[in-house]
């Protein structure tokens, strides 16, 4: 369907809205789209006058944008009758702005990852010096910069466990399970930390809080079965072990818990009726 005065006005309206939201690239792209449509059709004079007014306004807007002024220091004024040349100019301009934004995003990502690396390295050094408080400050600074580095939480947990700070590791173990419930290291760390501190009720709460919904999470259910077994909650241990095995029949620890739970429950006398 060919462009119409209405469709061109709508694109220019969207360009104005994008400018109001500080969306530089989208502003230029929408203006380029509208201008390309404008030069491709012959509009009635009434439509043309309205569109030309909107074009003049939109060109004035982009001329204020720092990303545009980088390539056009004096702005890009609208010149009636020069729409073809302006269109040919806007399209590569939009691409240059897109390339700049991508470079800035890549640079920002690299800087963020460097901050994470430096914070973890410094935290590890402070741990070795026996300064848990400052180490934690650095580890938490690394977490604040987290976006999608799912290995960060198991890494910090392992540093704390290696340094003997088992309880302190649990906040990172919990995040590790939340971010990557299929990572077996997180559950190994949980069992190690809880075993060293005898914090089995806390481990049970962490697993319950970390459990994502919906869906089967066999490693988490296996860990939950093992924790319930440690607590002597054999009915809950049996249920969790069954869920784990139903989802993954190869989970040996879950099978062991299920076997022990069956024996414990069989040996438990039924509750006396009141």
């Amino acid at each position: 369907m060919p462009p119409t005065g209405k469709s061109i006005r709508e694109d220019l309206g969207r360009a104005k809205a994008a400018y109001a939201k500080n969306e530089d690239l989208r502003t230029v792209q929408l203006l380029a789209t509208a201008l390309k449509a404008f030069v491709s059709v012959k509009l009635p004079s009434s439509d043309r006058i309205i569109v030309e007014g909107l074009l003049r306004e939109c060109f004035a807007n982009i001329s204020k944008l720092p990303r545009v002024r980088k390539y056009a220091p004096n702005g890009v004024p609208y010149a009636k009758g020069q729409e073809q040349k302006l269109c040919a100019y806007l399209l590569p301009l939009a691409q240059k702005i897109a390339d700049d934004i991508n470079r800035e995003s890549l640079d920002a990502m690299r800087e963020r990852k460097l901050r994470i690396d430096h914070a973890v390295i410094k935290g590890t050094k402070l741990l070795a010096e026996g300064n848990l408080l400052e180490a934690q400050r650095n580890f938490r600074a690394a977490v604040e910069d987290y976006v999608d580095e799912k290995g960060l939480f198991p890494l910090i947990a392992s540093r704390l466990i290696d340094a003997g700070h088992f309880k302190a590791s649990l906040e990172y173990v919990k995040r590790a399970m939340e971010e990557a419930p299929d990572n077996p290291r997180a559950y190994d760390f949980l069992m190690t930390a809880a075993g060293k501190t005898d914090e089995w009720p806390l481990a049970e709460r962490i697993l319950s809080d970390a459990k994502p919904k919906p869906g089967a999470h066999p490693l988490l259910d296996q860990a939950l079965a093992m924790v319930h077994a440690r607590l002597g909650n054999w009915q809950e241990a049996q249920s969790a072990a069954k869920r784990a095995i139903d989802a993954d029949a190869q989970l040996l620890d879950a099978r062991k818990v299920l076997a022990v739970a069956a024996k414990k429950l069989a040996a438990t006398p039924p509750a006396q009726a009141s």
Side-chain angles (χ1 to χ4, degrees), residues 213-233:
K213 298 175 182 178
H217 299 279
L219 291 175
L220 192 149
D221 281 325
Q222 174 175 256
L224 193 56
M226 295 165 71
V227 169
H228 279 306
R230 290 280 188 168
L231 291 168
N233 300 332

Side-chain angles (χ1 to χ4, degrees), residues 6 46 67 69 96-97 152 165 173 194 199 257 271:
K6 182 176 182 294
S46 56
R67 293 185 192 278
R69 296 185 74 88
K96 289 176 183 177
I97 293 172
L152 174 63
H165 298 291
V173 171
E199 289 281 1
V257 171

